[in-house]
Amino acid sequence: MAVIAESPSRASPLFSNLTNLYALPISERPRKTWAQFLNAVAFGMLFHLGCVLINVAQFVLLLPLRPFCLVPIVRRLYDAGIRRSKGAFGTLLVTMCAWFGPTNFVITFETEGPGKFTRDELEKLVERDSEGNVFLNLPTKSVLIANHQIYADWWYAWCLTYFMNTHRDVYIVLKKSLKWVPILGWGMQFYNFIFLARSWASDRLYLANRLAWLGKRAQEQDIPLTFILYPEGTLVSPDTRPISKKYADKLGIPDMAHTLMPRSTGLHHSLRALAPRISNLKVIDVTVAYPGIPEFKYGQSYYTLRSIFFDGIPPPAVHMHIRVFDVSRDVPIGDISASNPNVLPQNRSQAVETEVPEKEREAFDLWLRDLWREKDSMMVRYLETGTFAEEGQKEVVIPVRFRSRWEALTPFGFFIPDVVVWARGRVGL
């Protein structure tokens, strides 16, 4: 396996005296300095400028195309623009890390247990181009699941897809109330994110329909799809820890120590909607840990979006252990042979994907709990050793930064020429 061994990302000289504060709880850190205040202002201005410019481009260039999307060439132009604008947002997240919260991804890959990579796969996982840019050859059509410790988890997950080159095709589930948040909410609607009302009775058919459509399109157009989901549903915290314990007691099993008991319903239905329409669907399982958080303490006491990007105290590294499962072979999602991949579930009589027999539901629930139990054990190893690596295993260290200075400008409107050039070559204009 190729190993990327570079110097760790360093904080800006402006914050050189803050580099060890990540191990202190936020409540015990020194009072904010003027440099941190100015850093927060600069971050807020640049991040929101990037969001506004992307959203303006969507409204001005793409929204007028929507009424004509029944015309194939217009549909291709519209989809190309949406994917490029979403990629620009993914690049914006990487840019904000590089400029305001420098960190490294320290990645290990499973080599022994479930979800392991073969020796041949390991040799091809990490590539580097002539300019030293890093690429991860992970599956391009997948459901990415991970444990959930801090609110920045989703930020770093999207940054990971940047190195997988699937950052233009990320999908997530959000609360329906966020749909109309100015700028960010509007942009998320363009991105085809899935907004749920948090009522499973009304959400399950809608979720199946949207994911079936996304999966069918990804397969037919041969484009990536990375659906990010957190089965725990929320952060590990003093409020959620007792809820996890109560759920474990109800099942008559021990609670997790460093994660929450996962809820299988959303993931199970998502896989059942996608699997009939994506022939090689994979589950990418990521176990994430952050330095400086003591055992049985809570991540949000040490890392928040504000402390990372406003205060300039990011984690010095984000540790990730990655496993991959083939859904058709390794994941017990149940019998979906009656599902028609060409038909989107519109009502319960059609929705084979959402009608799960009790035995199949229990089998998947047990599989996910076992997966999380292994994840919990990995967290124990990390807390004891500071790494997910087994003895003798090498880590892959990837600085979270953009590939070129020009690419750093793409969130600020410079992705538009890229869309035009791409579209001309793609549709033969």
Side-chain angles (χ1 to χ4, degrees):
M1 178 174 62
V3 178
I4 311 300
E6 300 194 19
S7 300
S9 296
R10 294 184 173 87
S12 165
L14 193 64
F15 301 121
S16 58
N17 61 325
L18 305 178
T19 52
N20 295 321
L21 292 183
Y22 68 89
L24 278 179
I26 294 172
S27 60
E28 298 178 15
R29 292 175 186 173
R31 182 178 302 203
K32 304 293 187 297
T33 66
W34 276 105
Q36 288 175 299
F37 172 76
L38 294 175
N39 186 76
V41 171
F43 173 87
M45 291 177 62
L46 283 172
F47 180 71
H48 286 95
L49 176 63
C51 292
V52 167
L53 290 175
I54 292 170
N55 200 219
V56 167
Q58 290 170 329
F59 271 103
V60 173
L61 299 177
L62 302 177
L63 188 61
L65 298 178
R66 187 178 285 183
F68 307 100
C69 278
L70 291 177
V71 180
I73 191 172
V74 176
R75 183 77 220 189
R76 289 197 293 271
L77 286 170
Y78 178 81
D79 288 345
I82 292 298
R83 292 185 67 227
R84 258 45 188 187
S85 67
K86 187 187 289 189
F89 183 75
T91 305
L92 177 64
L93 300 181
V94 174
T95 300
M96 294 298 102
C97 282
W99 288 350
F100 296 96
T103 190
N104 293 321
F105 288 161
V106 179
I107 300 177
T108 54
F109 300 99
E110 184 65 38
T111 59
E112 298 294 336
K116 68 180 180 181
F117 295 86
T118 66
R119 183 179 296 274
D120 288 343
E121 289 171 335
L122 288 170
E123 291 296 329
K124 300 173 184 176
L125 271 174
V126 182
E127 290 187 3
R128 208 175 191 179
D129 65 16
S130 58
E131 297 179 357
N133 297 312
V134 179
F135 298 88
L136 295 175
N137 291 317
L138 288 167
T140 58
K141 294 182 177 67
S142 68
V143 176
L144 190 155
I145 60 175
N147 55 316
H148 201 7
Q149 295 184 77
I150 64 176
Y151 285 114
D153 283 336
W154 71 269
W155 193 298
Y156 291 128
W158 202 325
C159 289
L160 177 65
T161 68
Y162 173 83
F163 298 103
M164 296 164 52
N165 207 29
T166 66
H167 59 297
R168 299 185 182 95
D169 301 280
V170 168
Y171 300 93
I172 58 177
V173 171
L174 297 159
K175 292 190 296 184
K176 198 171 184 178
S177 58
L178 297 174
K179 191 173 184 178
W180 302 109
V181 172
I183 302 174
L184 288 175
W186 301 336
M188 290 186 287
Q189 289 188 58
F190 277 108
Y191 294 157
N192 288 311
F193 287 170
I194 299 172
F195 296 90
L196 299 182
R198 298 297 174 93
S199 168
W200 187 240
S202 60
D203 284 339
R204 66 174 182 168
L205 187 60
Y206 176 73
L207 175 67
N209 178 276
R210 296 302 299 159
L211 284 175
W213 178 79
L214 290 171
K216 186 172 181 289
R217 188 184 68 162
Q219 185 74 10
E220 291 175 349
Q221 298 182 18
D222 193 23
I223 56 176
L225 182 150
T226 301
F227 180 52
I228 299 176
L229 196 64
Y230 291 95
E232 291 164 283
T234 186
L235 303 179
V236 182
S237 72
D239 296 326
T240 60
R241 182 81 274 162
I243 298 172
S244 179
K245 177 66 165 59
K246 184 177 179 181
Y247 182 49
D249 290 344
K250 179 182 176 181
L251 296 174
I253 59 177
D255 189 18
M256 307 292 175
H258 305 289
T259 60
L260 299 177
M261 290 290 294
R263 304 302 178 105
S264 64
T265 303
L267 175 61
H268 195 183
H269 284 73
S270 299
L271 292 173
R272 286 173 66 90
L274 288 168
R277 295 161 179 91
I278 298 178
S279 58
N280 60 342
L281 183 68
K282 300 294 192 295
V283 169
I284 300 176
D285 173 56
V286 185
T287 304
V288 184
Y290 299 93
I293 304 173
E295 189 172 17
F296 303 120
K297 298 296 183 180
Y298 301 106
Q300 277 299 102
S301 299
Y302 294 81
Y303 300 109
T304 64
L305 289 170
R306 179 185 293 272
S307 72
I308 292 170
F309 296 111
F310 282 23
D311 300 345
I313 308 176
V318 181
H319 291 259
M320 299 182 177
H321 185 74
I322 297 179
R323 302 183 284 183
V324 171
F325 299 88
D326 186 297
V327 174
S328 64
R329 186 185 65 238
D330 304 326
V331 185
I333 63 173
D335 183 9
I336 52 173
S337 59
S339 175
N340 186 343
N342 297 313
V343 175
L344 304 184
Q346 301 289 344
N347 54 62
R348 292 190 63 177
S349 64
Q350 296 177 328
V352 176
E353 298 86 350
T354 66
E355 300 302 317
V356 187
E358 184 66 15
K359 286 187 177 180
E360 294 181 359
R361 185 194 64 77
E362 290 176 354
F364 183 82
D365 197 41
L366 179 61
W367 176 83
L368 185 62
R369 286 205 307 272
D370 287 346
L371 193 71
W372 240 250
R373 194 76 64 188
E374 292 162 2
K375 192 183 292 288
D376 213 49
S377 297
M378 291 179 199
M379 292 296 293
V380 172
R381 183 166 76 235
Y382 172 80
L383 288 166
E384 291 175 349
T385 65
T387 178
F388 286 125
E390 298 278 8
E391 186 176 352
Q393 185 182 16
K394 295 179 180 179
E395 298 172 326
V396 177
V397 181
I398 306 175
V400 182
R401 62 190 185 203
F402 37 81
R403 298 186 182 103
S404 69
R405 293 180 180 179
W406 169 257
E407 193 171 16
L409 298 176
T410 58
F412 305 103
F414 287 84
F415 69 93
I416 297 172
D418 179 49
V419 174
V420 174
V421 172
W422 183 92
R424 287 184 63 184
R426 187 77 173 181
V427 301
L429 292 178

